[in-house]
């Protein structure tokens, strides 16, 4: 049973400047909840996950503040009879045991994951990127991945099918599958041009790794963008171990990307019964302007 999850949330968020100058991109809201709360809810909903490590950096205190109890605020809500809000806030504090570690220098996602080595120890663990919400009508996506890991006992990444013209933005897999859901990975190819891409299946912000990934990360040199890339470590690991990809059922919302954020805000508002009719009416109205 996998007990631990790691959420890298230390990055600069340059794609969302100027907003991310002073506020972590993980605190961008979809309607009224910050992205990272959706991510933690996904992890905490998975059977077995009790402990979550958030990788942070300077300037990310708002994340800790969001999850720490605030006695003064709770007393005020209680005095004002706002019991629904009070319950909701208390629920946030109870999601899981949250831990924090600082990534001292922002040397890339691979380096961020390496900061989790002591926390993880010698057991398999999950990674959920802190700037991406994966919504699903059924089982949470990380639970789908954990089930696939149980089946294969190998490290496994979430896969999303994207339009071919977008392969150059992502890590893509070359893989084989009997059921078009679980793929045995033959190669990881970083940001291939569409005509060179071996598939249009891209690595989609959720992973389950066996602990040996740390050995490969430790020997991964700086790569693209002068950063330590998680994909480079995965490529080294693949030389020695089988790895899989799992085409998850659900939808990805990369909130670090402005257009995705705008679309997702509308989508999440439409899922809320108290906003749905008004938002639809408003979209109709402004689209005729
Ligand atoms: P991104 O490349 O999307 O993050 O990394 P970024 O560097 O913050 O964003 P841009 O491209 O400049 O806008 C994916 C995930 O890895 C984390 C990010 O916080 C994000 O959740 N990350 C990235 C770290 O934790 N540390 C790093 O050094 C880099």
């Amino acid at each position: 049973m996998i007990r631990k999850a790691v959420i890298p949330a230390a990055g600069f968020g340059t794609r969302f400047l100027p907003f991310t100058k002073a506020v972590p991109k993980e605190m961008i809201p979809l309607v009224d909840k910050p992205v990272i709360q959706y991510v933690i809810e996904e992890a905490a909903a998975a059977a077995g996950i009790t402990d979550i490590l958030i990788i942070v950096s300077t300037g990310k205190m708002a994340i800790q503040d969001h999850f720490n109890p605030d006695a003064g605020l709770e007393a005020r809500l209680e005095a004002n009879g706002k019991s629904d809000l009070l319950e909701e806030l208390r629920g946030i504090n109870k999601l899981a045991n949250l831990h924090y570690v600082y990534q001292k220098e922002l040397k890339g996602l691979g380096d961020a994951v390496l900061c989790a080595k002591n926390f993880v120890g010698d057991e398999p663990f999950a990674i959920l990127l802190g700037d991406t919400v994966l919504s699903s009508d059924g089982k949470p996506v990380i639970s789908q991945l954990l089930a696939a890991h149980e089946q294969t006992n190998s490290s496994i990444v979430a896969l999303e099918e994207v339009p071919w013209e977008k392969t150059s933005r992502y890590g893509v897999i070359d893989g084989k599958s009997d059921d078009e859901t679980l793929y045995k990975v033959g190669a990881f190819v970083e940001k291939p041009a569409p005509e060179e891409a071996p598939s249009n299946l891209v690595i989609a912000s959720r992973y389950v790794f066996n602990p040996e990934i740390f050995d490969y990360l430790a020997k991964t040199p700086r790569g693209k963008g002068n950063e330590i890339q998680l994909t480079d470590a995965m490529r080294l690991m693949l030389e020695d171990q089988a790895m899989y990809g799992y085409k998850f059922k659900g939808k990805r919302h990369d909130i670090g990307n402005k257009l995705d954020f705008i679309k997702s805000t509308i989508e999440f508002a439409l899922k809320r019964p108290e906003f749905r009719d008004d938002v639809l009416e408003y979209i109709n109205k402004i689209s005729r302007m």
Side-chain angles (χ1 to χ4, degrees):
M1 187 68 108
I2 292 186
R3 302 185 299 130
K4 295 176 182 170
V6 173
I7 301 183
F12 282 122
T14 53
R15 286 172 298 151
F16 217 115
L17 281 168
F19 178 79
T20 43
K21 169 83 174 30
V23 183
K25 68 172 163 179
E26 296 76 14
M27 292 303 294
I28 295 172
L30 285 181
V31 185
D32 54 6
K33 270 199 285 190
V35 173
I36 193 157
Q37 188 178 335
Y38 289 95
V39 177
I40 288 190
E41 285 172 354
E42 182 190 339
I49 299 225
T50 55
D51 285 77
I52 299 173
L53 176 73
I54 306 177
I55 319 268
V56 290
S57 55
T58 307
K60 300 269 184 170
M61 268 313 286
I63 296 177
Q64 269 139 293
D65 287 345
H66 181 70
F67 292 107
N68 283 341
D70 181 339
L73 176 59
E74 289 184 18
R76 170 65 62 90
L77 292 174
E78 192 144 33
N80 293 351
K82 303 212 159 142
S83 51
D84 288 359
L85 271 176
L86 185 61
E87 277 319 297
E88 193 176 339
L89 285 190
R90 287 187 174 149
I92 298 176
N93 311 136
K94 287 189 208 136
L95 286 171
N97 302 318
L98 299 184
H99 311 260
Y100 299 90
V101 67
Y102 273 77
Q103 184 185 10
K104 290 176 193 67
E105 194 191 333
L106 300 189
K107 289 189 284 189
L109 176 59
D111 179 66
V113 173
L114 199 49
C115 297
K117 186 175 175 1
N118 285 346
F119 166 80
V120 169
D122 197 23
E123 47 188 296
F125 66 105
I127 296 181
L128 301 90
L129 298 191
D131 62 354
T132 306
V133 178
L134 294 191
S135 55
S136 136
D137 294 333
K139 241 182 177 185
V141 173
I142 197 66
S143 305
Q144 299 173 29
L145 218 57
L146 290 171
H149 176 266
E150 210 169 288
Q151 199 182 328
T152 59
N153 264 319
S154 301
S155 297
I156 185 157
V157 299
L159 295 177
E160 183 191 21
E161 205 165 346
V162 299
W164 281 89
E165 63 272 18
K166 292 194 176 160
T167 55
S168 58
R169 297 187 199 171
Y170 301 99
V172 171
I173 68 142
D174 186 2
K176 284 203 170 60
S177 174
D178 294 330
D179 58 3
E180 296 198 358
T181 302
L182 184 66
Y183 288 79
K184 187 158 195 287
V185 176
F188 293 108
V189 186
E190 194 57 25
K191 302 192 168 71
E195 57 280 10
E196 280 155 20
S199 77
N200 60 343
L201 293 170
V202 308
I203 304 171
S205 77
R206 300 291 184 267
Y207 314 74
V208 177
F209 283 119
N210 288 338
E212 297 83 49
I213 188 69
F214 294 115
D215 302 336
Y216 297 96
L217 278 168
K219 56 185 177 195
T220 299
R222 286 183 190 247
K224 197 170 182 312
N226 201 28
E227 293 191 335
I228 298 174
Q229 300 288 349
L230 179 59
T231 317
D232 289 343
M234 285 158 56
R235 215 178 276 130
L236 289 177
M237 193 176 191
L238 188 61
E239 289 175 14
D240 300 331
Q241 295 193 6
M243 293 177 80
Y244 287 83
Y246 179 83
K247 206 158 94 186
F248 69 90
K249 289 158 202 72
K251 185 165 178 191
R252 180 156 70 117
H253 307 266
D254 173 7
I255 307 305
N257 167 313
K258 290 178 189 172
L259 184 59
D260 239 16
F261 158 72
I262 295 165
K263 290 179 180 169
S264 303
T265 297
I266 297 168
E267 224 174 297
F268 277 65
L270 291 178
K271 288 185 195 185
R272 295 271 290 262
E274 71 269 41
F275 298 126
R276 187 178 167 84
D277 291 347
D278 285 342
V279 172
L280 276 176
E281 192 187 318
Y282 187 65
I283 293 171
N284 263 326
K285 188 173 150 199
I286 57 174
S287 59
R288 279 185 261 113
M289 276 159 67

